[in-house]
Amino acid sequence: MDWYDTIFELIDMRSFSNLWFWIALAVVWSTASHWVLGVPYDMVARARRNGGQSAQDLEDLIRINTNRLLFIGNVSGLWVLGLTCFVLTGLVLLGFVYGVEFAQALFLLGFPMSLVGALNLSTARLIQEEEAQGPQLWHRLTRHRTYVQAIGMVSIFVTALWGMYQNMAVGPFGS
């Protein structure tokens, strides 16, 4: 086998060796860390820096989005939880028991995002209970973004490790 065949066997169109998967992973996590409870984080920075109308706009948007999230959680939360657990369990079984690489890739995208969804509900509940405004609200949103970024860093690291392992195990070096 020459070097040309070796390189193109490593770079095939499976999930973890597909450039589009890694682009999607980057887009998912950059979007998740930019949008804090449905509000772009630059609004939080602008409200902290300028106050006034910027702070009022942020508080209004956060109030609308937290009310929306909590309403959805109260009305259909158990159904969403059940469906999410069903889908994630199916992906775990298909991916890690039966070896379907696409299911592994979807699980490594979906499971951390389900944690972010749970974190969104928890933060929305805390903001509503505290009736957070001004600096207290900005601090809560900044902390939420930091947690989302931490989940994202761990997720990207684990996904990269698993993807490299899969590429080495399935490629020419694993045989």
Side-chain angles (χ1 to χ4, degrees):
M1 181 178 266
D2 63 352
W3 68 272
Y4 184 80
D5 291 333
T6 303
I7 288 175
F8 280 99
E9 189 172 334
L10 267 176
I11 307 173
D12 62 355
M13 296 308 287
R14 296 181 340 266
S15 295
F16 294 112
S17 60
N18 189 334
L19 179 62
W20 291 107
F21 171 74
W22 297 105
I23 291 171
L25 183 72
V27 167
V28 162
W29 285 111
S30 65
T31 302
S33 68
H34 179 69
W35 290 87
V36 180
L37 293 179
V39 176
Y41 189 73
D42 62 286
M43 285 189 72
V44 178
R46 190 176 322 120
R48 183 181 291 133
R49 185 176 50 249
N50 299 336
Q53 187 61 43
S54 297
Q56 187 61 45
D57 291 346
L58 174 69
E59 290 173 8
D60 291 342
L61 278 175
I62 289 295
R63 179 184 46 80
I64 291 167
N65 287 336
T66 55
N67 287 341
R68 182 180 156 270
L69 278 173
L70 293 174
F71 176 76
I72 291 170
N74 289 333
V75 169
S76 58
L78 288 176
W79 284 102
V80 171
L81 178 65
L83 182 63
T84 301
C85 290
F86 174 77
V87 169
L88 290 175
T89 302
L91 289 173
V92 165
L93 290 174
L94 281 173
F96 299 101
V97 175
Y98 294 109
V100 178
E101 189 174 312
F102 185 68
Q104 293 171 1
L106 288 178
F107 177 77
L108 290 171
L109 280 171
F111 177 69
M113 288 308 294
S114 68
L115 296 178
V116 170
L119 183 63
N120 282 343
L121 277 173
S122 175
T123 302
R125 183 185 52 78
L126 286 172
I127 288 172
Q128 193 173 62
E129 284 177 0
E130 296 171 345
E131 297 178 4
Q133 295 178 355
Q136 183 184 16
L137 176 64
W138 307 332
H139 179 71
R140 176 73 60 199
L141 294 174
T142 302
R143 182 182 303 166
H144 175 80
R145 183 178 191 228
T146 303
Y147 291 156
V148 169
Q149 288 174 332
I151 292 170
M153 285 188 302
V154 171
S155 171
I156 291 170
F157 180 73
V158 168
T159 303
L161 283 180
W162 186 256
M164 285 187 284
Y165 169 74
Q166 286 296 97
N167 286 335
M168 297 297 276
V170 175
F173 305 115
S175 300

